[in-house]
Amino acid sequence: MPSGVILYGPPGSGKDTITSELTRLRPEFALFERLKAGPGRTAGYRLTTVDQIEELSRAGGLLYRNARYDAEYAIDRQGVAALVDANRIPVLHMGQVAGASAVAAFPLHWIRVLLWCPLDVSESRSISRGDKDVEARVKVWHETRKDLLAHETEPWTLTLRTDQLSPTESAIAIIDALGATASAESRNIRELVG
């Protein structure tokens, strides 16, 4: 069965950096570009309208949909299928546990990776990359922590502290997990997020 990777974590936890490293190490990895309607960053998204996202939703074409940063985002079945059909390993970026669970409806061998870093690291990374909405990203870090604590028993294939591992070490751990047959495990989330 083909594989896919879910990278879940707060802003600044390394989703973009680790995805870049995965694609550098193994070109079959490919960022899944979510549909996006609204303001903010455009790189890494397929821009659309709220009406088009709504139309896909009514037709059953979405795996997950959410709103954040005054924008609408969606993961569409057709977009994931297109990467799989091209013999690529889709890498999905998630900010909600519900979304990480919802995409499991697409029949792939999903590697679920929880990326974590402390608030000060998240904020510093956001400032360093020039985000204009650092306050909003700090708020989302707290929301992500709350989300994790509300889903403490959620199983993750890997839990990576990106403030303690380099992007290369993180990417290699994900590649190794793809080759392993171990199932996802629960981790003490309260210990991880403090």
Side-chain angles (χ1 to χ4, degrees):
M1 174 181 279
S3 297
V5 176
I6 297 167
L7 298 180
Y8 168 91
S13 60
K15 294 183 287 287
D16 288 333
T17 305
I18 291 169
T19 300
S20 293
E21 191 62 11
L22 283 169
T23 59
R24 186 186 72 78
L25 293 171
R26 294 214 1 220
E28 64 267 29
F29 285 101
L31 171 66
F32 173 81
E33 295 185 334
R34 287 179 290 163
L35 296 169
K36 179 180 181 179
R41 287 176 42 182
T42 57
Y45 298 101
R46 290 174 290 142
L47 301 181
T48 187
T49 65
V50 173
D51 288 343
Q52 289 174 320
I53 291 174
E54 187 59 39
E55 187 177 317
L56 279 170
S57 180
R58 283 194 304 271
L62 298 182
L63 293 165
Y64 186 67
R65 176 182 183 179
N66 71 294
R68 187 167 265 169
Y69 306 119
D70 297 320
E72 289 268 341
Y73 301 88
I75 296 173
D76 60 313
R77 291 176 186 278
Q78 182 180 345
V80 176
L83 287 176
V84 173
D85 290 347
N87 295 314
R88 306 297 294 276
I89 299 170
V91 180
L92 279 64
H93 293 181
M94 300 298 304
Q96 301 81 27
V97 173
S101 298
V103 298
F106 195 93
L108 290 178
H109 170 62
W110 289 105
I111 302 298
R112 297 165 41 104
V113 184
L114 168 55
L115 304 178
W116 191 255
C117 65
L119 176 58
D120 62 328
V121 173
S122 177
E123 187 174 13
S124 173
R125 288 174 176 173
S126 187
I127 292 167
S128 294
R129 68 184 181 199
D131 291 337
K132 296 185 183 348
D133 56 353
V134 175
E135 272 185 43
R137 292 179 185 279
V138 165
K139 181 177 181 249
V140 170
W141 184 95
H142 287 288
E143 290 171 0
T144 306
R145 181 181 181 276
K146 185 177 177 182
D147 186 33
L148 276 171
L149 291 171
H151 298 91
E152 286 184 69
T153 59
E154 191 72 21
W156 299 97
T157 310
L158 285 175
T159 303
L160 303 174
R161 283 282 306 261
T162 62
D163 58 315
Q164 298 173 357
L165 296 170
S166 72
T168 301
E169 289 170 324
S170 297
I172 289 170
I174 293 166
I175 291 167
D176 290 347
L178 271 175
T181 56
S183 61
E185 298 176 1
S186 294
R187 171 167 173 148
N188 186 335
I189 294 301
R190 288 193 181 277
E191 181 183 296
L192 176 71
V193 303

